[in-house]
Short mmCIF file of all heavy atoms in Angstrom, two decimals:
data_model
loop_
_atom_site.label_atom_id
_atom_site.label_comp_id
_atom_site.label_asym_id
_atom_site.label_seq_id
_atom_site.Cartn_x
_atom_site.Cartn_y
_atom_site.Cartn_z
N ASN L 104 -47.92 -4.33 52.53
CA ASN L 104 -47.03 -3.22 52.24
C ASN L 104 -46.50 -2.59 53.51
O ASN L 104 -47.09 -2.70 54.53
CB ASN L 104 -47.81 -2.16 51.45
CG ASN L 104 -48.34 -2.71 50.11
OD1 ASN L 104 -47.76 -3.67 49.60
ND2 ASN L 104 -49.38 -2.10 49.58
N VAL L 105 -45.32 -1.98 53.38
CA VAL L 105 -44.65 -1.45 54.53
C VAL L 105 -44.59 0.06 54.47
O VAL L 105 -43.88 0.74 55.26
CB VAL L 105 -43.26 -2.06 54.63
CG1 VAL L 105 -43.32 -3.57 54.90
CG2 VAL L 105 -42.35 -1.77 53.42
N ASP L 106 -45.35 0.68 53.43
CA ASP L 106 -45.13 2.07 53.13
C ASP L 106 -45.98 3.02 53.98
O ASP L 106 -45.90 4.28 53.89
CB ASP L 106 -45.39 2.34 51.62
CG ASP L 106 -46.77 1.76 51.13
OD1 ASP L 106 -47.73 1.90 51.89
OD2 ASP L 106 -46.80 1.25 50.03
N GLY L 107 -47.01 2.55 54.67
CA GLY L 107 -47.83 3.42 55.50
C GLY L 107 -48.89 4.20 54.74
O GLY L 107 -49.52 5.06 55.26
N LEU L 108 -49.06 3.96 53.45
CA LEU L 108 -49.99 4.78 52.62
C LEU L 108 -51.40 4.53 52.98
O LEU L 108 -52.24 5.51 52.82
CB LEU L 108 -49.71 4.54 51.13
CG LEU L 108 -48.35 5.18 50.59
CD1 LEU L 108 -48.20 4.85 49.14
CD2 LEU L 108 -48.36 6.69 50.80
N HIS L 109 -51.81 3.42 53.43
CA HIS L 109 -53.21 3.25 53.83
C HIS L 109 -53.61 4.17 54.98
O HIS L 109 -54.65 4.77 54.96
CB HIS L 109 -53.53 1.79 54.24
CG HIS L 109 -53.61 0.83 53.05
ND1 HIS L 109 -54.54 0.90 52.03
CD2 HIS L 109 -52.83 -0.30 52.73
CE1 HIS L 109 -54.32 -0.08 51.17
NE2 HIS L 109 -53.35 -0.80 51.60
N GLN L 110 -52.67 4.23 55.92
CA GLN L 110 -52.93 5.10 57.12
C GLN L 110 -52.96 6.56 56.65
O GLN L 110 -53.81 7.35 57.01
CB GLN L 110 -51.86 4.90 58.19
CG GLN L 110 -51.89 3.48 58.81
CD GLN L 110 -50.92 2.53 58.09
OE1 GLN L 110 -50.87 2.54 56.85
NE2 GLN L 110 -50.21 1.72 58.90
N LYS L 111 -51.98 6.91 55.73
CA LYS L 111 -51.98 8.29 55.23
C LYS L 111 -53.24 8.67 54.50
O LYS L 111 -53.72 9.74 54.50
CB LYS L 111 -50.81 8.43 54.26
CG LYS L 111 -49.51 9.08 54.86
CD LYS L 111 -48.55 9.56 53.69
CE LYS L 111 -47.26 9.95 54.28
NZ LYS L 111 -46.17 9.78 53.24
N ALA L 112 -53.89 7.62 53.85
CA ALA L 112 -55.13 7.89 53.09
C ALA L 112 -56.33 8.03 53.98
O ALA L 112 -57.37 8.50 53.58
CB ALA L 112 -55.36 6.74 52.11
N GLY L 113 -56.11 7.63 55.25
CA GLY L 113 -57.22 7.77 56.26
C GLY L 113 -57.86 6.48 56.74
O GLY L 113 -58.79 6.47 57.54
N SER L 114 -57.34 5.36 56.24
CA SER L 114 -57.85 4.03 56.77
C SER L 114 -57.48 3.94 58.25
O SER L 114 -56.33 4.24 58.65
CB SER L 114 -57.26 2.85 56.01
OG SER L 114 -57.84 2.84 54.71
N THR L 115 -58.47 3.54 59.04
CA THR L 115 -58.19 3.54 60.51
C THR L 115 -57.94 2.15 61.04
O THR L 115 -57.43 1.99 62.15
CB THR L 115 -59.44 4.08 61.29
OG1 THR L 115 -60.59 3.25 60.97
CG2 THR L 115 -59.74 5.54 60.91
N ARG L 116 -58.23 1.12 60.24
CA ARG L 116 -58.02 -0.25 60.76
C ARG L 116 -57.11 -0.97 59.77
O ARG L 116 -57.53 -1.46 58.71
CB ARG L 116 -59.30 -0.98 60.95
CG ARG L 116 -60.20 -0.34 62.06
CD ARG L 116 -61.51 -1.10 62.27
NE ARG L 116 -61.29 -2.46 62.80
CZ ARG L 116 -62.31 -3.33 62.93
NH1 ARG L 116 -63.49 -3.04 62.51
NH2 ARG L 116 -62.11 -4.52 63.42
N VAL L 117 -55.77 -0.89 60.04
CA VAL L 117 -54.79 -1.46 59.09
C VAL L 117 -53.94 -2.48 59.82
O VAL L 117 -53.33 -2.18 60.86
CB VAL L 117 -53.89 -0.32 58.52
CG1 VAL L 117 -52.90 -0.92 57.53
CG2 VAL L 117 -54.71 0.75 57.86
N VAL L 118 -53.88 -3.69 59.32
CA VAL L 118 -52.98 -4.74 59.92
C VAL L 118 -51.74 -4.81 59.03
O VAL L 118 -51.91 -5.17 57.82
CB VAL L 118 -53.67 -6.09 59.94
CG1 VAL L 118 -52.81 -7.15 60.56
CG2 VAL L 118 -55.02 -5.97 60.73
N GLU L 119 -50.59 -4.40 59.50
CA GLU L 119 -49.39 -4.43 58.70
C GLU L 119 -48.66 -5.76 58.90
O GLU L 119 -47.91 -5.90 59.79
CB GLU L 119 -48.50 -3.22 59.09
CG GLU L 119 -49.09 -1.87 58.72
CD GLU L 119 -48.17 -0.69 59.14
OE1 GLU L 119 -47.74 -0.68 60.30
OE2 GLU L 119 -47.97 0.19 58.28
N LEU L 120 -48.96 -6.67 58.02
CA LEU L 120 -48.45 -8.02 58.20
C LEU L 120 -46.87 -8.05 58.17
O LEU L 120 -46.28 -8.87 58.86
CB LEU L 120 -48.87 -8.99 57.12
CG LEU L 120 -50.42 -9.36 57.09
CD1 LEU L 120 -50.71 -10.22 55.92
CD2 LEU L 120 -50.83 -10.04 58.42
N HIS L 121 -46.29 -7.14 57.37
CA HIS L 121 -44.81 -7.18 57.19
C HIS L 121 -44.08 -6.05 57.77
O HIS L 121 -42.99 -5.71 57.44
CB HIS L 121 -44.54 -7.27 55.72
CG HIS L 121 -45.07 -8.53 55.03
ND1 HIS L 121 -45.41 -8.56 53.66
CD2 HIS L 121 -45.46 -9.72 55.61
CE1 HIS L 121 -45.87 -9.78 53.42
NE2 HIS L 121 -45.89 -10.49 54.52
N GLY L 122 -44.76 -5.31 58.72
CA GLY L 122 -44.11 -4.21 59.42
C GLY L 122 -44.26 -2.88 58.70
O GLY L 122 -45.10 -2.75 57.81
N ASN L 123 -43.35 -1.95 59.03
CA ASN L 123 -43.50 -0.57 58.53
C ASN L 123 -42.17 0.05 58.37
O ASN L 123 -41.33 0.03 59.28
CB ASN L 123 -44.37 0.19 59.55
CG ASN L 123 -44.63 1.60 59.03
OD1 ASN L 123 -43.67 2.37 58.81
ND2 ASN L 123 -45.90 1.95 58.86
N ILE L 124 -41.92 0.51 57.15
CA ILE L 124 -40.58 1.04 56.78
C ILE L 124 -40.18 2.25 57.56
O ILE L 124 -38.98 2.60 57.68
CB ILE L 124 -40.50 1.28 55.26
CG1 ILE L 124 -39.05 1.30 54.73
CG2 ILE L 124 -41.28 2.52 54.91
CD1 ILE L 124 -38.98 1.13 53.29
N TRP L 125 -41.17 2.89 58.21
CA TRP L 125 -40.81 4.14 58.95
C TRP L 125 -40.42 3.88 60.38
O TRP L 125 -40.04 4.77 61.12
CB TRP L 125 -42.06 5.11 58.91
CG TRP L 125 -42.41 5.39 57.50
CD1 TRP L 125 -43.56 5.10 56.81
CD2 TRP L 125 -41.60 6.03 56.54
NE1 TRP L 125 -43.50 5.43 55.51
CE2 TRP L 125 -42.30 6.07 55.24
CE3 TRP L 125 -40.32 6.61 56.58
CZ2 TRP L 125 -41.77 6.59 54.11
CZ3 TRP L 125 -39.82 7.17 55.38
CH2 TRP L 125 -40.51 7.14 54.19
N ARG L 126 -40.57 2.60 60.81
CA ARG L 126 -40.21 2.22 62.15
C ARG L 126 -38.89 1.44 62.13
O ARG L 126 -38.58 0.72 61.17
CB ARG L 126 -41.25 1.33 62.79
CG ARG L 126 -42.57 1.98 63.04
CD ARG L 126 -43.39 1.18 64.06
NE ARG L 126 -43.55 -0.20 63.62
CZ ARG L 126 -44.62 -0.65 63.01
NH1 ARG L 126 -45.65 0.18 62.68
NH2 ARG L 126 -44.72 -1.99 62.63
N ALA L 127 -38.00 1.63 63.18
CA ALA L 127 -36.82 0.81 63.31
C ALA L 127 -36.82 0.30 64.74
O ALA L 127 -37.52 0.81 65.61
CB ALA L 127 -35.58 1.68 63.05
N ARG L 128 -36.11 -0.80 64.96
CA ARG L 128 -36.05 -1.32 66.32
C ARG L 128 -34.61 -1.90 66.54
O ARG L 128 -33.86 -2.18 65.59
CB ARG L 128 -37.11 -2.38 66.55
CG ARG L 128 -37.00 -3.66 65.75
CD ARG L 128 -37.92 -4.76 66.30
NE ARG L 128 -37.58 -6.08 65.76
CZ ARG L 128 -38.03 -6.63 64.72
NH1 ARG L 128 -38.98 -6.01 64.01
NH2 ARG L 128 -37.73 -7.82 64.31
N CYS L 129 -34.27 -2.07 67.79
CA CYS L 129 -33.00 -2.65 68.14
C CYS L 129 -32.96 -4.13 67.82
O CYS L 129 -33.89 -4.88 68.17
CB CYS L 129 -32.72 -2.49 69.57
SG CYS L 129 -31.16 -3.26 70.15
N ALA L 130 -31.97 -4.57 67.01
CA ALA L 130 -31.89 -6.00 66.65
C ALA L 130 -31.53 -6.89 67.85
O ALA L 130 -31.73 -8.10 67.75
CB ALA L 130 -30.79 -6.10 65.56
N ARG L 131 -31.10 -6.25 68.91
CA ARG L 131 -30.67 -7.06 70.11
C ARG L 131 -31.81 -7.08 71.18
O ARG L 131 -32.22 -8.13 71.61
CB ARG L 131 -29.42 -6.43 70.66
CG ARG L 131 -28.69 -7.26 71.74
CD ARG L 131 -27.26 -6.77 71.85
NE ARG L 131 -26.56 -7.33 72.96
CZ ARG L 131 -26.47 -6.79 74.23
NH1 ARG L 131 -27.12 -5.67 74.41
NH2 ARG L 131 -25.87 -7.39 75.17
N CYS L 132 -32.31 -5.95 71.58
CA CYS L 132 -33.26 -5.88 72.70
C CYS L 132 -34.67 -5.56 72.25
O CYS L 132 -35.60 -5.61 73.01
CB CYS L 132 -32.80 -4.87 73.80
SG CYS L 132 -33.14 -3.14 73.33
N GLY L 133 -34.80 -5.17 70.98
CA GLY L 133 -36.15 -4.91 70.41
C GLY L 133 -36.69 -3.56 70.68
O GLY L 133 -37.80 -3.24 70.23
N ARG L 134 -35.96 -2.76 71.40
CA ARG L 134 -36.48 -1.38 71.72
C ARG L 134 -36.75 -0.61 70.42
O ARG L 134 -35.90 -0.58 69.51
CB ARG L 134 -35.46 -0.64 72.59
CG ARG L 134 -35.90 0.77 72.88
CD ARG L 134 -35.01 1.53 73.83
NE ARG L 134 -35.33 2.97 73.70
CZ ARG L 134 -35.02 3.90 74.64
NH1 ARG L 134 -34.30 3.48 75.68
NH2 ARG L 134 -35.34 5.14 74.49
N ALA L 135 -37.89 0.05 70.36
CA ALA L 135 -38.25 0.81 69.20
C ALA L 135 -37.39 2.06 69.17
O ALA L 135 -37.00 2.62 70.17
CB ALA L 135 -39.70 1.22 69.23
N ALA L 136 -37.03 2.54 68.00
CA ALA L 136 -36.31 3.72 67.86
C ALA L 136 -37.28 4.74 67.10
O ALA L 136 -37.85 4.41 66.09
CB ALA L 136 -35.06 3.55 66.94
N ALA L 137 -37.42 5.94 67.68
CA ALA L 137 -38.37 6.86 67.09
C ALA L 137 -37.61 8.04 66.43
O ALA L 137 -36.43 8.07 66.48
CB ALA L 137 -39.25 7.41 68.25
N ASP L 138 -38.36 8.90 65.82
CA ASP L 138 -37.85 10.05 65.04
C ASP L 138 -36.50 9.90 64.41
O ASP L 138 -35.58 10.59 64.72
CB ASP L 138 -37.80 11.35 65.84
CG ASP L 138 -38.35 11.27 67.24
OD1 ASP L 138 -39.47 10.76 67.29
OD2 ASP L 138 -37.66 11.55 68.18
N LEU L 139 -36.48 8.92 63.48
CA LEU L 139 -35.28 8.77 62.72
C LEU L 139 -35.39 9.62 61.43
O LEU L 139 -36.52 9.77 60.93
CB LEU L 139 -35.14 7.30 62.30
CG LEU L 139 -34.74 6.34 63.48
CD1 LEU L 139 -34.90 4.90 62.99
CD2 LEU L 139 -33.34 6.61 63.95
N PRO L 140 -34.30 10.13 60.92
CA PRO L 140 -34.39 10.85 59.59
C PRO L 140 -34.79 9.95 58.53
O PRO L 140 -34.64 8.69 58.71
CB PRO L 140 -32.90 11.35 59.45
CG PRO L 140 -32.07 10.54 60.29
CD PRO L 140 -32.90 10.04 61.41
#
Side-chain angles (χ1 to χ4, degrees):
N104 300 338
V105 298
D106 55 36
L108 287 177
H109 284 298
Q110 296 92 318
K111 259 196 193 156
S114 288
T115 59
R116 296 180 67 188
V117 182
V118 181
E119 292 181 310
L120 293 178
H121 298 154
N123 184 300
I124 201 163
W125 302 113
R126 294 196 305 262
R128 68 169 194 264
C129 174
R131 189 163 173 267
C132 75
R134 176 177 165 160
D138 356 307
L139 289 168

